Amino acid sequence: MAASLQGVARVLWRLKPSVLPPLRIYQPCLRSLCPRASLSLVVLPSHSLCQAVSLQDEGAAHAAEALSRYKEKPWEYLESEEYIEKYGSSPVWTGYRRNHKGGIPPQKTRKTCIRGDKICGNPCPICRDANIIIHPQNVKLLEQFISPYTGMVYDPTKTGVCMKQHKKMTEAIDASRDHGFLPFQIPYVEFTKDNYSNSHDAVGTTPPPPSLTAGESWYKWYSQITPDETEVTKVKRKYKAYLK
């Protein structure tokens, strides 16, 4: 009898949906007639599917809205609750492990994680999160890839980012430093007194002229210089074929 009631419910629902509300009214009577009968078909089974689809649509719309908001202001993502729950206070590359063949990692990371519509199995810390956007004003993200001791950009073998994102990161850090968002670290050079002395021949003062005598110039290099006869003989012997 349960099977027959289920079949009747299916037929009624296919014929006209307006028949279902009266069946809901008489549902207690039908249960009293056949307690074991499953009247779940009286309720539209597509309602739950519609609710699931609507929830998925709402989630997709929310994600698209968040992505568009973070694309215009990517630094807001690093202050959101979603980022704090996902990464905490650690950098985005903390705990990331690269996948490579063999026990020795290669000297360079992969060229890119996304090729067209295909995404690799283990994307880098930047490619795996669409909300992480490299921008010169996204200072909190750029600081995670700069050593606080040397001021140099971390090597991609340490952070695990692909070479494409590493190039974007380097360009964004340079642009951020040019615009004053990130500080410069200029090495300290200690100068000694010798660097400011004028005793060197290149920067020294001209010595005073000697006491002049008749027929002599002020300085020796202004006077006529007579070459050594032995050196002249050697040169003539060497180039005698050209002096004829």
Side-chain angles (χ1 to χ4, degrees), residues 179-195:
H179 289 85
F181 297 114
L182 286 176
F184 281 96
Q185 291 190 1
I186 303 175
Y188 174 74
V189 179
E190 184 178 358
F191 295 94
T192 60
K193 295 180 180 180
D194 298 335
N195 297 325

Side-chain angles (χ1 to χ4, degrees), residues 117-240:
D117 297 336
K118 295 182 180 180
I119 304 176
C120 66
N122 186 22
C124 70
I126 297 179
C127 293
R128 67 183 177 181
D129 195 345
N131 294 327
I132 296 179
I133 301 173
I134 299 175
H135 194 273
Q137 296 183 10
N138 198 356
V139 179
K140 290 186 177 180
L141 177 64
L142 301 180
E143 288 178 346
Q144 298 179 4
F145 292 85
I146 301 175
S147 174
Y149 307 104
T150 61
M152 299 177 64
V153 183
Y154 284 131
D155 194 81
T157 56
K158 178 179 178 64
T159 58
V161 297
C162 60
M163 300 305 296
K164 182 179 180 181
Q165 298 294 344
H166 179 69
K167 183 178 179 181
K168 289 183 179 180
M169 182 68 64
T170 307
E171 293 176 352
I173 289 173
D174 293 340
S176 181
R177 285 174 174 171
D178 291 340
H179 289 85
F181 297 114
L182 286 176
F184 281 96
Q185 291 190 1
I186 303 175
Y188 174 74
V189 179
E190 184 178 358
F191 295 94
T192 60
K193 295 180 180 180
D194 298 335
N195 297 325
Y196 298 97
S197 65
N198 57 359
S199 61
H200 195 271
D201 295 338
V203 296
T205 58
T206 304
S211 58
L212 297 177
T213 58
E216 292 184 0
S217 58
W218 282 12
Y219 303 104
K220 294 181 179 180
W221 54 82
Y222 288 156
S223 62
Q224 186 177 2
I225 301 174
T226 57
D228 190 4
E229 293 295 335
T230 56
E231 297 294 334
V232 173
T233 305
K234 289 181 182 180
V235 172
K236 287 182 179 180
R237 189 182 304 168
K238 186 175 182 180
Y239 297 102
K240 64 180 180 179

